[in-house]
Amino acid sequence: MPVDTAATDRSVCAPLPVLGCEVAVPLASGGEAVYAALDYAASAPALQRVWDDVAAYAPYYGSVHRGAGYLSQLSTDLFENSRATVADFLGCRPDDQVVFTRSTTDSLNLLAAALPEGARVFVFETEHHAALLPWERRADLAVTYLDAPRTPRQAVDTLEKALADREPYRAALVCVTGASNVTGELWPVRELAAAAHAHGARIVLDAAQLAPHRPVDLAGLDVDWVAFSGHKLYAPFGAGVLAGRADWLRDAAPYLAGGGASRTVARRADGGLDVEWHTSAARHEAGSPNVIGAYAIASACRALTEAGFDALAAREQELITAVREGLADVPEVRFLSLFGDDAPRVGVLSFVVEGRNSADFAAALSAEYGIGVRDGLFCAHPLVRTLLGSDPRHPGECGAPAAAPGATSGAAPEERSLAAIRVSFGVGTPDEHIARFVRAVKELV
């Protein structure tokens, strides 16, 4: 039976404190439990340090790049210092630009808008929709979707073959994830970057799931751009980052037209306007910037760096092992994987429970145990359908059919579950939350 943990679970979140680690939620059976937030891959809770830093700055908030007053100057310095902090966190090269955006999705749409005319994009079907879809918005771009690889080596070989067959006169971009938002598996980024550059292509790394768990060294990985979101990096204040080579960004039309992106504006004799646009990151940051979002990201970058990724990754591996070994004796539970159970991964695990509807199962975890997970296709529909043995071209929406959810792979397609359950965690996850999750899954099964 579910246990009321409200009196016993109010422990300090480790290894880094996060907001919400003592929030109690009601249970369907009566009473309440301290909420076990195990949906970090969607949005991670704010680090306590990030919240404290933002709160300390808030009274001094002012316009950025706009005013001569003290608060405006302070806010401008804070904003630009945050840019420098992010550049250090990402291992940017001296000539790279750091552009603040709204999210990973916004960053990749910005890059898509900046691609040279007629460029070809190569992207695996395994990508999150944020990396899968932006290229379709430009009719002049040619997009090649690559089949899901089953080993890291196959990923590199598939990319090399596709690049070798491309038109050599076209600019080319490869888009790849660093860590899957479905399986948590780490991708061979350095090897994919080497393959891209060997064939005259550039590469952008979607680090939305990688940056909160592992160091991202843009120069060390030899990628041309990296994109990530603050809300997955324990800084949920509506900001993101696109960092990397300046030339395509400098040569492209501003992502948004407006103040801040323009250096000078003058009327022409014919009644039109002559506009000189900035060539720095400001070119794509029109409007009043989200200084709090940028500062929050910088605060999170400092906190993670000081905590040490080696120590954070080692503890996270212990949690991954606890989940996998804890459920190893439950035959109804099947974890999803591209590269195999032993593949290196971050704290993101997806699974199905044979014979159970994924949406109902996730709802039961919440209502009966106070555990928050995600169910569905995780904005990576082709990948999840491939992992579930369904056709990746299936047009259905998220959600499992009610007729025979969780049916075995030998069942007819219409009877097979088209959704999964995802559990994800990070630096603010206590051991107890993982233990409660394992116990809850066993009891529900």
Side-chain angles (χ1 to χ4, degrees):
M1 294 292 292
V3 178
D4 186 336
T5 61
T8 61
D9 191 32
R10 298 186 187 279
S11 57
V12 176
C13 295
L16 292 178
V18 296
L19 295 182
C21 61
E22 294 189 353
V23 169
V25 296
L27 299 176
S29 57
E32 55 185 24
V34 171
Y35 186 62
L38 297 179
D39 193 16
Y40 276 45
S43 282
L47 288 176
Q48 183 67 52
R49 170 170 170 174
V50 169
W51 186 262
D52 291 344
D53 283 349
V54 168
Y57 160 67
Y60 300 91
Y61 173 80
S63 62
V64 175
H65 300 148
R66 301 293 196 274
Y70 178 82
L71 296 190
S72 178
Q73 294 296 305
L74 180 71
S75 295
T76 299
D77 287 345
L78 193 80
F79 186 69
E80 293 303 332
N81 287 336
S82 297
R83 197 191 306 276
T85 297
V86 172
D88 288 341
F89 180 75
L90 296 175
C92 287
R93 298 157 295 227
D95 295 335
D96 287 335
Q97 288 186 352
V98 173
V99 181
F100 285 115
T101 64
R102 295 179 298 171
S103 60
T104 307
T105 302
D106 198 33
S107 296
L108 293 174
N109 274 270
L110 163 57
L111 184 60
L115 293 187
E117 184 176 354
R120 178 171 287 278
V121 179
F122 296 86
V123 55
F124 286 93
E125 68 173 358
T126 50
E127 293 293 316
H128 186 282
H129 293 172
L132 199 64
L133 302 181
W135 329 107
E136 294 279 356
R137 294 170 61 85
R138 279 184 53 181
D140 65 302
L141 299 181
V143 187
T144 297
Y145 295 103
L146 306 175
D147 292 340
R150 287 300 182 167
T151 67
R153 182 67 253 172
Q154 188 181 29
V156 178
D157 291 344
T158 297
L159 178 62
E160 286 186 330
K161 183 180 186 306
L163 289 171
D165 293 341
R166 77 179 178 93
E167 307 88 334
Y169 56 87
R170 284 193 179 194
L173 177 72
V174 176
C175 180
V176 66
T177 188
S180 171
N181 78 302
V182 176
T183 68
E185 291 164 311
L186 298 175
W187 277 61
V189 176
R190 186 176 287 104
E191 292 81 359
L192 290 167
H197 293 151
H199 290 276
R202 299 188 182 187
I203 185 168
V204 57
L205 171 64
D206 173 0
Q209 299 297 338
L210 184 64
H213 303 275
R214 298 289 191 278
V216 176
D217 187 336
L218 198 150
L221 293 172
D222 196 25
V223 296
D224 298 282
W225 293 276
V226 61
F228 71 91
S229 297
H231 74 99
K232 298 185 191 298
L233 196 79
Y234 311 100
F237 291 89
V241 168
L242 176 67
R245 295 178 62 160
D247 54 350
W248 285 4
L249 298 177
R250 185 176 55 243
D251 295 341
Y255 187 45
L256 297 174
S262 56
R263 187 189 301 274
T264 63
V265 180
R267 290 290 300 276
R268 294 196 305 264
D270 63 3
L273 295 176
D274 279 328
V275 182
E276 179 186 356
W277 302 102
H278 282 293
T279 57
S280 65
R283 183 182 188 87
H284 299 292
E285 294 178 343
S288 295
N290 180 2
V291 59
I292 286 180
Y295 184 46
I297 289 178
S299 174
C301 290
R302 287 190 293 268
L304 292 171
T305 300
E306 292 168 10
F309 274 106
D310 288 345
L312 296 177
R315 180 180 183 273
E316 185 174 274
Q317 183 57 52
E318 294 175 357
L319 300 184
I320 294 170
T321 301
V323 172
R324 296 187 67 90
E325 292 185 352
L327 297 178
D329 60 349
V330 185
E332 294 86 351
V333 171
R334 176 171 66 89
F335 288 99
L336 305 184
S337 177
L338 273 174
F339 302 151
D341 291 344
D342 295 331
R345 53 177 34 87
V346 300
V348 179
L349 297 164
S350 295
F351 62 97
V352 292
V353 181
E354 299 295 343
R356 294 295 299 269
N357 180 285
S358 296
D360 292 344
F361 200 91
L365 287 171
S366 176
E368 299 182 34
Y369 297 89
I371 297 171
V373 297
R374 173 87 181 270
D375 71 277
L377 301 178
F378 318 127
C379 290
H381 294 190
L383 170 57
V384 178
R385 292 188 180 115
T386 294
L387 294 174
L388 293 177
S390 179
D391 188 339
R393 297 165 295 182
H394 192 285
E397 298 180 359
C398 289
T408 61
S409 58
E414 64 270 18
E415 296 177 344
R416 191 177 303 144
S417 173
L418 293 180
I421 302 163
R422 184 181 69 191
V423 56
S424 54
F425 38 86
V427 301
T429 304
D431 293 351
E432 191 282 331
H433 288 185
I434 297 299
R436 194 198 317 173
F437 168 76
V438 170
R439 184 178 74 250
V441 171
K442 288 184 173 182
E443 292 179 359
L444 287 174
V445 171

